Amino acid sequence: MLALVDANSFYASCHQIFRPELEGKPIIVLSNRDGNVVARSAQAKALGIKMGQPFFETRELVDQHDVVVFSSNYELYGDISSRLMSLLTQFAPDVEVYSIDEAFLQLEEYTGIYPSYQGLGLSIRESMKQWLRLPVGVGIGPTKTLAKVANRLAKIKPELNGVCVLDSQEAIDEALWGFPIEDVWGVGGKSVSKLKKQGIRTAYQLREVNDDWIQRVMTVNGLRLVHELRGMPCKLLDVNPPPRKAICTEPGFGKVIPDLDTITDALTVHLSRICEKLRKQESLCGTVTVWLRTNPHRRTPGNFLPAKQYSNSVTVRLPHPTSSTLEIIKYAASGLKAIFKFGYNYQRVGIMLTDLVPADYRQMGVFTQGPDERLIRLSAVIDKVNKRYGQDKLRLASQMYNPEWPMKPSYLSPRYTTRWEDILEAH
Amino acid sequence: MLDTIDYLPPENIFLTDPTRRKDLPFFDIAVQAGFPNPADNFIRQRLNLQDLCVLHPDNTYFVKASGESMIGDYIFPGSMLVVDSTRPIETGMVIVIWVNEGWCVKRYIDKSPMIMLESSNEKYAPMYLHPDRDQVAVLGEVTYIISKPPRYARPR
């Protein structure tokens, strides 16, 4: 059996840990330039605030209903998340961290102090409430997909008290009977319409389909999913996650920027940041994608007509995989130059590093030298220095250092658990 | 009135490491080949305060105290409290608790169905709370108090 534990509205709940007066209040969390809504408490969802909605569109609702607004505080979320994951290992030795707020626990051969799966689930819930003041939901089932189904039911059926166990065929049948296919883990938008055309609307019906047919419609992944719904595990626990296959960032500027130089500076700053991530997971990247776009919601000042829109992207294949900021910025900047057009006010520049390979991989190109080992070593030294003396203390000259930039978010909350100057005060 | 100096016993004095780095002490002894270094057996990790005060790192919060209501329990304005949420609270614990509109540090006495929160400074009266009427939320139990010694006042 597997358990899926996840935190309810994790970001919003993190803010409530140290501010109990916010319990039951509508809360929204904004993306890292206060641009869009990235998380909502249950009460904010009920007001109709959408995921990803631009913040300015929600202003009216926010003022009307006294919605509490926070800028995202990833330092706090990251610390609370690592506490949660570490505490979960007290309940089961094998924990797969699936995302910042959910984890799978392997309960096979489980002979613990809890008389039943239900008891274990309740104990996890109560412990997290006491230890972290964090509300979590627990779904338990024979496969990952069924544990996901159980977890969802635990959320939407208040009478289950946040724990749902599918440990008998009857319980599984009942759970899948009315379970809409679009809520099944791994069924994407395209597959939903294909399946609905065939009259398949619930997970129960999906479980009964013919194997060959589902493999044609939804490839081998669809087949795996159907097997999982039947209770045969195909997705095994992954305790040591593989390095990420792509690293990507798309920060906004806070204000619109018309000139190439400033955008190149921004690109350099973000690239330095994600190259650090790349080196941290010991990968090299083979391909860089850069994109650029204007603000789709902007209106021309004065006449309120929609402003001119432009967006474009370019993908550059590197001659050899590398993790050196110096090498990658050369290609990324020339790519940016190629897609840059004058006369627009840009709002976002994005970078994605794909084609990642492990750092011990070296393959000489036919016509080029391999990656310059000296540059890779240099980057490692730069990372070390910056770790010790602070971010960006040692940086590329093209990384124009402007303390005004990036912009300070306006709804910052204290980083209660990671900064001395932000800790809680008690009277 | 004792007029002898009460010495600290030497076994109470430790070499401590203020940082979280685990350094190994370096013994500057020229080693002759083939002759074992007599100091090798004494190389130890230095001590750090984290190991002593933080038994459950995942359940521990640091909180700064302000106000003088808990002076009798050695909690002064500016003291750093180590708060551990591992154990459920019971009568007699000094806890950090949210009461209606702020966090406070008090001694907890269970007076079912009421909660009594005692201060340790006679200027402050005990608080009586009712879980249905008042909003309460417990952060955890104060397990260690870190403070500076009081300032020296010159005798007149």
PDB file of all heavy atoms in Angstrom, chain A residues 18 20-21 83 86-87 130-133 420 423-427, chain B residues 58-61 64-66 80 85-88 98 103-105 135:
ATOM      1  N   PHE A  18       2.352  31.086  11.554  1.00  0.00           N
ATOM      2  CA  PHE A  18       2.788  32.057  12.554  1.00  0.00           C
ATOM      3  C   PHE A  18       1.776  33.186  12.738  1.00  0.00           C
ATOM      4  O   PHE A  18       2.026  34.114  13.484  1.00  0.00           O
ATOM      5  CB  PHE A  18       4.167  32.610  12.177  1.00  0.00           C
ATOM      6  CG  PHE A  18       5.210  31.527  12.130  1.00  0.00           C
ATOM      7  CD1 PHE A  18       5.580  30.943  10.941  1.00  0.00           C
ATOM      8  CD2 PHE A  18       5.788  31.073  13.304  1.00  0.00           C
ATOM      9  CE1 PHE A  18       6.522  29.920  10.916  1.00  0.00           C
ATOM     10  CE2 PHE A  18       6.733  30.058  13.284  1.00  0.00           C
ATOM     11  CZ  PHE A  18       7.096  29.488  12.089  1.00  0.00           C
ATOM     12  N   PRO A  20      -2.034  32.899  13.450  1.00  0.00           N
ATOM     13  CA  PRO A  20      -3.284  32.151  13.611  1.00  0.00           C
ATOM     14  C   PRO A  20      -4.516  33.001  13.346  1.00  0.00           C
ATOM     15  O   PRO A  20      -5.575  32.464  13.041  1.00  0.00           O
ATOM     16  CB  PRO A  20      -3.248  31.712  15.080  1.00  0.00           C
ATOM     17  CG  PRO A  20      -1.819  31.792  15.482  1.00  0.00           C
ATOM     18  CD  PRO A  20      -1.219  32.880  14.663  1.00  0.00           C
ATOM     19  N   GLU A  21      -4.389  34.344  13.450  1.00  0.00           N
ATOM     20  CA  GLU A  21      -5.580  35.182  13.246  1.00  0.00           C
ATOM     21  C   GLU A  21      -6.052  35.095  11.793  1.00  0.00           C
ATOM     22  O   GLU A  21      -7.177  35.486  11.480  1.00  0.00           O
ATOM     23  CB  GLU A  21      -5.306  36.633  13.649  1.00  0.00           C
ATOM     24  CG  GLU A  21      -4.563  37.485  12.621  1.00  0.00           C
ATOM     25  CD  GLU A  21      -3.045  37.423  12.763  1.00  0.00           C
ATOM     26  OE1 GLU A  21      -2.527  36.404  13.299  1.00  0.00           O
ATOM     27  OE2 GLU A  21      -2.368  38.368  12.343  1.00  0.00           O
ATOM     28  N   ARG A  83      10.962  20.510   6.488  1.00  0.00           N
ATOM     29  CA  ARG A  83      10.574  19.970   7.801  1.00  0.00           C
ATOM     30  C   ARG A  83       9.507  18.892   7.631  1.00  0.00           C
ATOM     31  O   ARG A  83       9.570  17.816   8.223  1.00  0.00           O
ATOM     32  CB  ARG A  83      10.014  21.083   8.696  1.00  0.00           C
ATOM     33  CG  ARG A  83      11.074  22.053   9.185  1.00  0.00           C
ATOM     34  CD  ARG A  83      10.453  23.193   9.985  1.00  0.00           C
ATOM     35  NE  ARG A  83      11.466  24.156  10.388  1.00  0.00           N
ATOM     36  CZ  ARG A  83      11.651  24.550  11.656  1.00  0.00           C
ATOM     37  NH1 ARG A  83      10.884  24.088  12.620  1.00  0.00           N
ATOM     38  NH2 ARG A  83      12.583  25.423  11.948  1.00  0.00           N
ATOM     39  N   SER A  86      10.933  15.655   6.152  1.00  0.00           N
ATOM     40  CA  SER A  86      11.804  14.975   7.092  1.00  0.00           C
ATOM     41  C   SER A  86      10.976  14.311   8.200  1.00  0.00           C
ATOM     42  O   SER A  86      11.270  13.195   8.637  1.00  0.00           O
ATOM     43  CB  SER A  86      12.790  16.001   7.621  1.00  0.00           C
ATOM     44  OG  SER A  86      13.261  15.643   8.853  1.00  0.00           O
ATOM     45  N   LEU A  87       9.901  14.980   8.633  1.00  0.00           N
ATOM     46  CA  LEU A  87       9.057  14.396   9.677  1.00  0.00           C
ATOM     47  C   LEU A  87       8.273  13.190   9.161  1.00  0.00           C
ATOM     48  O   LEU A  87       7.988  12.263   9.917  1.00  0.00           O
ATOM     49  CB  LEU A  87       8.088  15.447  10.227  1.00  0.00           C
ATOM     50  CG  LEU A  87       8.736  16.526  11.097  1.00  0.00           C
ATOM     51  CD1 LEU A  87       7.775  17.677  11.340  1.00  0.00           C
ATOM     52  CD2 LEU A  87       9.197  15.935  12.425  1.00  0.00           C
ATOM     53  N   GLN A 130       0.108  19.408  15.131  1.00  0.00           N
ATOM     54  CA  GLN A 130       0.769  19.825  16.375  1.00  0.00           C
ATOM     55  C   GLN A 130       2.191  20.325  16.124  1.00  0.00           C
ATOM     56  O   GLN A 130       2.607  21.330  16.690  1.00  0.00           O
ATOM     57  CB  GLN A 130       0.811  18.657  17.356  1.00  0.00           C
ATOM     58  CG  GLN A 130       1.433  19.044  18.688  1.00  0.00           C
ATOM     59  CD  GLN A 130       1.710  17.840  19.557  1.00  0.00           C
ATOM     60  OE1 GLN A 130       0.928  16.899  19.615  1.00  0.00           O
ATOM     61  NE2 GLN A 130       2.840  17.849  20.252  1.00  0.00           N
ATOM     62  N   TRP A 131       2.943  19.612  15.266  1.00  0.00           N
ATOM     63  CA  TRP A 131       4.368  19.921  15.116  1.00  0.00           C
ATOM     64  C   TRP A 131       4.608  21.142  14.242  1.00  0.00           C
ATOM     65  O   TRP A 131       5.468  21.952  14.507  1.00  0.00           O
ATOM     66  CB  TRP A 131       5.101  18.720  14.517  1.00  0.00           C
ATOM     67  CG  TRP A 131       5.139  17.530  15.427  1.00  0.00           C
ATOM     68  CD1 TRP A 131       4.935  17.542  16.775  1.00  0.00           C
ATOM     69  CD2 TRP A 131       5.389  16.178  15.053  1.00  0.00           C
ATOM     70  NE1 TRP A 131       5.052  16.250  17.266  1.00  0.00           N
ATOM     71  CE2 TRP A 131       5.326  15.403  16.232  1.00  0.00           C
ATOM     72  CE3 TRP A 131       5.662  15.552  13.834  1.00  0.00           C
ATOM     73  CZ2 TRP A 131       5.540  14.033  16.216  1.00  0.00           C
ATOM     74  CZ3 TRP A 131       5.877  14.190  13.822  1.00  0.00           C
ATOM     75  CH2 TRP A 131       5.810  13.437  14.998  1.00  0.00           C
ATOM     76  N   LEU A 132       3.870  21.222  13.130  1.00  0.00           N
ATOM     77  CA  LEU A 132       4.129  22.303  12.170  1.00  0.00           C
ATOM     78  C   LEU A 132       2.953  23.266  12.053  1.00  0.00           C
ATOM     79  O   LEU A 132       3.034  24.225  11.310  1.00  0.00           O
ATOM     80  CB  LEU A 132       4.414  21.714  10.781  1.00  0.00           C
ATOM     81  CG  LEU A 132       5.642  20.822  10.638  1.00  0.00           C
ATOM     82  CD1 LEU A 132       5.740  20.303   9.211  1.00  0.00           C
ATOM     83  CD2 LEU A 132       6.901  21.594  10.980  1.00  0.00           C
ATOM     84  N   ARG A 133       1.869  22.986  12.745  1.00  0.00           N
ATOM     85  CA  ARG A 133       0.626  23.765  12.592  1.00  0.00           C
ATOM     86  C   ARG A 133       0.206  23.809  11.127  1.00  0.00           C
ATOM     87  O   ARG A 133      -0.193  24.837  10.607  1.00  0.00           O
ATOM     88  CB  ARG A 133       0.788  25.183  13.169  1.00  0.00           C
ATOM     89  CG  ARG A 133       1.278  25.194  14.615  1.00  0.00           C
ATOM     90  CD  ARG A 133       1.232  26.522  15.346  1.00  0.00           C
ATOM     91  NE  ARG A 133       0.402  27.531  14.743  1.00  0.00           N
ATOM     92  CZ  ARG A 133      -0.922  27.581  14.827  1.00  0.00           C
ATOM     93  NH1 ARG A 133      -1.560  26.655  15.501  1.00  0.00           N
ATOM     94  NH2 ARG A 133      -1.584  28.535  14.239  1.00  0.00           N
ATOM     95  N   TRP A 420      17.409  35.376  11.512  1.00  0.00           N
ATOM     96  CA  TRP A 420      17.318  35.837  12.900  1.00  0.00           C
ATOM     97  C   TRP A 420      16.478  37.098  13.009  1.00  0.00           C
ATOM     98  O   TRP A 420      15.722  37.271  13.961  1.00  0.00           O
ATOM     99  CB  TRP A 420      18.711  36.108  13.470  1.00  0.00           C
ATOM    100  CG  TRP A 420      19.450  34.862  13.822  1.00  0.00           C
ATOM    101  CD1 TRP A 420      20.596  34.399  13.238  1.00  0.00           C
ATOM    102  CD2 TRP A 420      19.098  33.891  14.819  1.00  0.00           C
ATOM    103  NE1 TRP A 420      20.975  33.211  13.822  1.00  0.00           N
ATOM    104  CE2 TRP A 420      20.064  32.878  14.794  1.00  0.00           C
ATOM    105  CE3 TRP A 420      18.062  33.794  15.734  1.00  0.00           C
ATOM    106  CZ2 TRP A 420      20.036  31.789  15.640  1.00  0.00           C
ATOM    107  CZ3 TRP A 420      18.021  32.691  16.577  1.00  0.00           C
ATOM    108  CH2 TRP A 420      19.001  31.700  16.524  1.00  0.00           C
ATOM    109  N   ILE A 423      12.515  36.417  13.252  1.00  0.00           N
ATOM    110  CA  ILE A 423      11.843  35.419  14.091  1.00  0.00           C
ATOM    111  C   ILE A 423      10.685  36.036  14.863  1.00  0.00           C
ATOM    112  O   ILE A 423      10.608  37.245  15.061  1.00  0.00           O
ATOM    113  CB  ILE A 423      12.811  34.710  15.072  1.00  0.00           C
ATOM    114  CG1 ILE A 423      13.408  35.704  16.066  1.00  0.00           C
ATOM    115  CG2 ILE A 423      13.870  33.935  14.345  1.00  0.00           C
ATOM    116  CD1 ILE A 423      14.130  35.006  17.201  1.00  0.00           C
ATOM    117  N   LEU A 424       9.811  35.145  15.300  1.00  0.00           N
ATOM    118  CA  LEU A 424       8.603  35.521  16.016  1.00  0.00           C
ATOM    119  C   LEU A 424       8.946  36.227  17.318  1.00  0.00           C
ATOM    120  O   LEU A 424       9.975  35.952  17.920  1.00  0.00           O
ATOM    121  CB  LEU A 424       7.879  34.221  16.350  1.00  0.00           C
ATOM    122  CG  LEU A 424       6.386  34.228  16.503  1.00  0.00           C
ATOM    123  CD1 LEU A 424       5.755  34.716  15.224  1.00  0.00           C
ATOM    124  CD2 LEU A 424       5.935  32.808  16.778  1.00  0.00           C
ATOM    125  N   GLU A 425       8.074  37.140  17.762  1.00  0.00           N
ATOM    126  CA  GLU A 425       8.262  37.744  19.071  1.00  0.00           C
ATOM    127  C   GLU A 425       7.084  37.377  19.961  1.00  0.00           C
ATOM    128  O   GLU A 425       5.946  37.381  19.505  1.00  0.00           O
ATOM    129  CB  GLU A 425       8.359  39.270  18.924  1.00  0.00           C
ATOM    130  CG  GLU A 425       9.557  39.815  19.677  1.00  0.00           C
ATOM    131  CD  GLU A 425       9.684  41.313  19.565  1.00  0.00           C
ATOM    132  OE1 GLU A 425       8.836  41.978  20.169  1.00  0.00           O
ATOM    133  OE2 GLU A 425      10.611  41.791  18.885  1.00  0.00           O
ATOM    134  N   ALA A 426       7.362  37.006  21.219  1.00  0.00           N
ATOM    135  CA  ALA A 426       6.286  36.662  22.146  1.00  0.00           C
ATOM    136  C   ALA A 426       6.369  37.560  23.364  1.00  0.00           C
ATOM    137  O   ALA A 426       7.455  37.847  23.838  1.00  0.00           O
ATOM    138  CB  ALA A 426       6.402  35.203  22.584  1.00  0.00           C
ATOM    139  N   HIS A 427       5.188  38.003  23.866  1.00  0.00           N
ATOM    140  CA  HIS A 427       5.190  38.926  25.007  1.00  0.00           C
ATOM    141  C   HIS A 427       5.014  38.186  26.316  1.00  0.00           C
ATOM    142  O   HIS A 427       4.408  37.151  26.341  1.00  0.00           O
ATOM    143  CB  HIS A 427       4.044  39.936  24.840  1.00  0.00           C
ATOM    144  CG  HIS A 427       4.280  40.789  23.641  1.00  0.00           C
ATOM    145  ND1 HIS A 427       5.035  41.911  23.660  1.00  0.00           N
ATOM    146  CD2 HIS A 427       3.888  40.620  22.365  1.00  0.00           C
ATOM    147  CE1 HIS A 427       5.093  42.424  22.448  1.00  0.00           C
ATOM    148  NE2 HIS A 427       4.411  41.659  21.650  1.00  0.00           N
TER     149      HIS A 427
ATOM    150  N   ASP B  58      13.474  19.590  13.299  1.00  0.00           N
ATOM    151  CA  ASP B  58      12.310  19.800  12.427  1.00  0.00           C
ATOM    152  C   ASP B  58      11.128  20.408  13.183  1.00  0.00           C
ATOM    153  O   ASP B  58      10.214  20.936  12.577  1.00  0.00           O
ATOM    154  CB  ASP B  58      11.867  18.482  11.793  1.00  0.00           C
ATOM    155  CG  ASP B  58      12.915  17.968  10.836  1.00  0.00           C
ATOM    156  OD1 ASP B  58      13.527  18.789  10.139  1.00  0.00           O
ATOM    157  OD2 ASP B  58      13.125  16.737  10.800  1.00  0.00           O
ATOM    158  N   ASN B  59      11.116  20.272  14.513  1.00  0.00           N
ATOM    159  CA  ASN B  59       9.978  20.782  15.294  1.00  0.00           C
ATOM    160  C   ASN B  59      10.363  21.969  16.159  1.00  0.00           C
ATOM    161  O   ASN B  59       9.691  22.259  17.131  1.00  0.00           O
ATOM    162  CB  ASN B  59       9.444  19.697  16.237  1.00  0.00           C
ATOM    163  CG  ASN B  59       8.998  18.487  15.487  1.00  0.00           C
ATOM    164  OD1 ASN B  59       9.047  18.489  14.270  1.00  0.00           O
ATOM    165  ND2 ASN B  59       8.574  17.468  16.177  1.00  0.00           N
ATOM    166  N   THR B  60      11.504  22.601  15.866  1.00  0.00           N
ATOM    167  CA  THR B  60      11.987  23.646  16.760  1.00  0.00           C
ATOM    168  C   THR B  60      11.885  25.015  16.108  1.00  0.00           C
ATOM    169  O   THR B  60      12.190  25.171  14.938  1.00  0.00           O
ATOM    170  CB  THR B  60      13.432  23.352  17.177  1.00  0.00           C
ATOM    171  OG1 THR B  60      13.449  22.140  17.912  1.00  0.00           O
ATOM    172  CG2 THR B  60      13.982  24.460  18.049  1.00  0.00           C
ATOM    173  N   TYR B  61      11.427  25.991  16.879  1.00  0.00           N
ATOM    174  CA  TYR B  61      11.313  27.368  16.411  1.00  0.00           C
ATOM    175  C   TYR B  61      12.076  28.249  17.387  1.00  0.00           C
ATOM    176  O   TYR B  61      12.101  27.969  18.580  1.00  0.00           O
ATOM    177  CB  TYR B  61       9.848  27.799  16.372  1.00  0.00           C
ATOM    178  CG  TYR B  61       8.971  26.840  15.610  1.00  0.00           C
ATOM    179  CD1 TYR B  61       8.324  25.793  16.260  1.00  0.00           C
ATOM    180  CD2 TYR B  61       8.819  26.961  14.239  1.00  0.00           C
ATOM    181  CE1 TYR B  61       7.548  24.889  15.556  1.00  0.00           C
ATOM    182  CE2 TYR B  61       8.035  26.069  13.526  1.00  0.00           C
ATOM    183  CZ  TYR B  61       7.414  25.037  14.186  1.00  0.00           C
ATOM    184  OH  TYR B  61       6.657  24.142  13.487  1.00  0.00           O
ATOM    185  N   LYS B  64      11.778  35.300  20.015  1.00  0.00           N
ATOM    186  CA  LYS B  64      12.395  36.339  20.833  1.00  0.00           C
ATOM    187  C   LYS B  64      11.375  36.814  21.860  1.00  0.00           C
ATOM    188  O   LYS B  64      10.238  37.123  21.506  1.00  0.00           O
ATOM    189  CB  LYS B  64      12.799  37.490  19.918  1.00  0.00           C
ATOM    190  CG  LYS B  64      13.736  38.469  20.555  1.00  0.00           C
ATOM    191  CD  LYS B  64      14.033  39.565  19.562  1.00  0.00           C
ATOM    192  CE  LYS B  64      15.013  40.533  20.140  1.00  0.00           C
ATOM    193  NZ  LYS B  64      16.189  40.706  19.315  1.00  0.00           N
ATOM    194  N   ALA B  65      11.783  36.878  23.120  1.00  0.00           N
ATOM    195  CA  ALA B  65      10.855  37.304  24.166  1.00  0.00           C
ATOM    196  C   ALA B  65      10.907  38.819  24.310  1.00  0.00           C
ATOM    197  O   ALA B  65      11.946  39.436  24.105  1.00  0.00           O
ATOM    198  CB  ALA B  65      11.231  36.648  25.493  1.00  0.00           C
ATOM    199  N   SER B  66       9.758  39.420  24.650  1.00  0.00           N
ATOM    200  CA  SER B  66       9.759  40.840  24.977  1.00  0.00           C
ATOM    201  C   SER B  66       8.818  40.996  26.159  1.00  0.00           C
ATOM    202  O   SER B  66       7.976  40.149  26.402  1.00  0.00           O
ATOM    203  CB  SER B  66       9.287  41.664  23.776  1.00  0.00           C
ATOM    204  OG  SER B  66       7.965  41.325  23.460  1.00  0.00           O
ATOM    205  N   MET B  80      16.302  34.782  24.018  1.00  0.00           N
ATOM    206  CA  MET B  80      15.975  33.944  22.865  1.00  0.00           C
ATOM    207  C   MET B  80      15.398  32.644  23.415  1.00  0.00           C
ATOM    208  O   MET B  80      16.021  32.005  24.268  1.00  0.00           O
ATOM    209  CB  MET B  80      17.271  33.668  22.093  1.00  0.00           C
ATOM    210  CG  MET B  80      17.052  33.059  20.754  1.00  0.00           C
ATOM    211  SD  MET B  80      16.188  34.164  19.653  1.00  0.00           S
ATOM    212  CE  MET B  80      17.441  35.414  19.420  1.00  0.00           C
ATOM    213  N   SER B  85       7.932  21.726  19.530  1.00  0.00           N
ATOM    214  CA  SER B  85       6.508  21.352  19.462  1.00  0.00           C
ATOM    215  C   SER B  85       6.305  19.839  19.472  1.00  0.00           C
ATOM    216  O   SER B  85       5.233  19.350  19.151  1.00  0.00           O
ATOM    217  CB  SER B  85       5.875  21.930  18.192  1.00  0.00           C
ATOM    218  OG  SER B  85       6.501  21.376  17.048  1.00  0.00           O
ATOM    219  N   THR B  86       7.346  19.075  19.857  1.00  0.00           N
ATOM    220  CA  THR B  86       7.233  17.617  19.773  1.00  0.00           C
ATOM    221  C   THR B  86       6.186  17.050  20.734  1.00  0.00           C
ATOM    222  O   THR B  86       5.351  16.248  20.349  1.00  0.00           O
ATOM    223  CB  THR B  86       8.595  16.962  20.080  1.00  0.00           C
ATOM    224  OG1 THR B  86       9.580  17.598  19.286  1.00  0.00           O
ATOM    225  CG2 THR B  86       8.562  15.484  19.760  1.00  0.00           C
ATOM    226  N   ARG B  87       6.249  17.495  22.021  1.00  0.00           N
ATOM    227  CA  ARG B  87       5.352  16.901  23.014  1.00  0.00           C
ATOM    228  C   ARG B  87       4.048  17.683  23.088  1.00  0.00           C
ATOM    229  O   ARG B  87       4.056  18.912  22.977  1.00  0.00           O
ATOM    230  CB  ARG B  87       6.021  16.936  24.394  1.00  0.00           C
ATOM    231  CG  ARG B  87       7.301  16.120  24.443  1.00  0.00           C
ATOM    232  CD  ARG B  87       7.678  15.828  25.872  1.00  0.00           C
ATOM    233  NE  ARG B  87       7.945  17.041  26.648  1.00  0.00           N
ATOM    234  CZ  ARG B  87       8.024  17.046  27.986  1.00  0.00           C
ATOM    235  NH1 ARG B  87       7.834  15.935  28.652  1.00  0.00           N
ATOM    236  NH2 ARG B  87       8.281  18.162  28.629  1.00  0.00           N
ATOM    237  N   PRO B  88       2.916  17.001  23.309  1.00  0.00           N
ATOM    238  CA  PRO B  88       1.676  17.733  23.564  1.00  0.00           C
ATOM    239  C   PRO B  88       1.839  18.499  24.880  1.00  0.00           C
ATOM    240  O   PRO B  88       2.538  18.020  25.779  1.00  0.00           O
ATOM    241  CB  PRO B  88       0.622  16.636  23.718  1.00  0.00           C
ATOM    242  CG  PRO B  88       1.275  15.356  23.392  1.00  0.00           C
ATOM    243  CD  PRO B  88       2.762  15.551  23.363  1.00  0.00           C
ATOM    244  N   TRP B  98      -0.644  31.542  21.217  1.00  0.00           N
ATOM    245  CA  TRP B  98      -1.348  32.665  20.602  1.00  0.00           C
ATOM    246  C   TRP B  98      -2.636  32.888  21.379  1.00  0.00           C
ATOM    247  O   TRP B  98      -3.426  31.964  21.532  1.00  0.00           O
ATOM    248  CB  TRP B  98      -1.660  32.348  19.145  1.00  0.00           C
ATOM    249  CG  TRP B  98      -2.542  33.358  18.479  1.00  0.00           C
ATOM    250  CD1 TRP B  98      -3.898  33.376  18.448  1.00  0.00           C
ATOM    251  CD2 TRP B  98      -2.109  34.494  17.744  1.00  0.00           C
ATOM    252  NE1 TRP B  98      -4.349  34.456  17.743  1.00  0.00           N
ATOM    253  CE2 TRP B  98      -3.270  35.158  17.293  1.00  0.00           C
ATOM    254  CE3 TRP B  98      -0.865  35.026  17.410  1.00  0.00           C
ATOM    255  CZ2 TRP B  98      -3.215  36.320  16.525  1.00  0.00           C
ATOM    256  CZ3 TRP B  98      -0.815  36.174  16.646  1.00  0.00           C
ATOM    257  CH2 TRP B  98      -1.977  36.809  16.212  1.00  0.00           C
ATOM    258  N   TRP B 103       1.158  36.626  20.142  1.00  0.00           N
ATOM    259  CA  TRP B 103       1.866  35.499  20.743  1.00  0.00           C
ATOM    260  C   TRP B 103       2.342  35.911  22.132  1.00  0.00           C
ATOM    261  O   TRP B 103       2.821  37.030  22.315  1.00  0.00           O
ATOM    262  CB  TRP B 103       3.085  35.131  19.909  1.00  0.00           C
ATOM    263  CG  TRP B 103       2.744  34.506  18.611  1.00  0.00           C
ATOM    264  CD1 TRP B 103       2.756  35.111  17.385  1.00  0.00           C
ATOM    265  CD2 TRP B 103       2.339  33.154  18.384  1.00  0.00           C
ATOM    266  NE1 TRP B 103       2.380  34.210  16.421  1.00  0.00           N
ATOM    267  CE2 TRP B 103       2.118  33.004  16.996  1.00  0.00           C
ATOM    268  CE3 TRP B 103       2.136  32.043  19.207  1.00  0.00           C
ATOM    269  CZ2 TRP B 103       1.715  31.800  16.419  1.00  0.00           C
ATOM    270  CZ3 TRP B 103       1.722  30.846  18.630  1.00  0.00           C
ATOM    271  CH2 TRP B 103       1.519  30.732  17.263  1.00  0.00           C
ATOM    272  N   CYS B 104       2.227  35.018  23.125  1.00  0.00           N
ATOM    273  CA  CYS B 104       2.813  35.334  24.409  1.00  0.00           C
ATOM    274  C   CYS B 104       3.451  34.082  24.989  1.00  0.00           C
ATOM    275  O   CYS B 104       3.205  32.967  24.544  1.00  0.00           O
ATOM    276  CB  CYS B 104       1.789  35.938  25.364  1.00  0.00           C
ATOM    277  SG  CYS B 104       0.311  34.994  25.528  1.00  0.00           S
ATOM    278  N   VAL B 105       4.306  34.292  25.997  1.00  0.00           N
ATOM    279  CA  VAL B 105       4.961  33.161  26.639  1.00  0.00           C
ATOM    280  C   VAL B 105       4.475  33.127  28.082  1.00  0.00           C
ATOM    281  O   VAL B 105       4.513  34.137  28.781  1.00  0.00           O
ATOM    282  CB  VAL B 105       6.510  33.249  26.505  1.00  0.00           C
ATOM    283  CG1 VAL B 105       7.042  34.599  26.928  1.00  0.00           C
ATOM    284  CG2 VAL B 105       7.178  32.147  27.308  1.00  0.00           C
ATOM    285  N   GLN B 135      -9.573  32.720  21.013  1.00  0.00           N
ATOM    286  CA  GLN B 135      -8.811  32.016  19.989  1.00  0.00           C
ATOM    287  C   GLN B 135      -7.438  31.677  20.549  1.00  0.00           C
ATOM    288  O   GLN B 135      -6.663  32.568  20.900  1.00  0.00           O
ATOM    289  CB  GLN B 135      -8.654  32.902  18.738  1.00  0.00           C
ATOM    290  CG  GLN B 135      -8.260  32.086  17.520  1.00  0.00           C
ATOM    291  CD  GLN B 135      -7.631  32.921  16.426  1.00  0.00           C
ATOM    292  OE1 GLN B 135      -7.305  34.084  16.625  1.00  0.00           O
ATOM    293  NE2 GLN B 135      -7.456  32.320  15.270  1.00  0.00           N
TER     294      GLN B 135
END
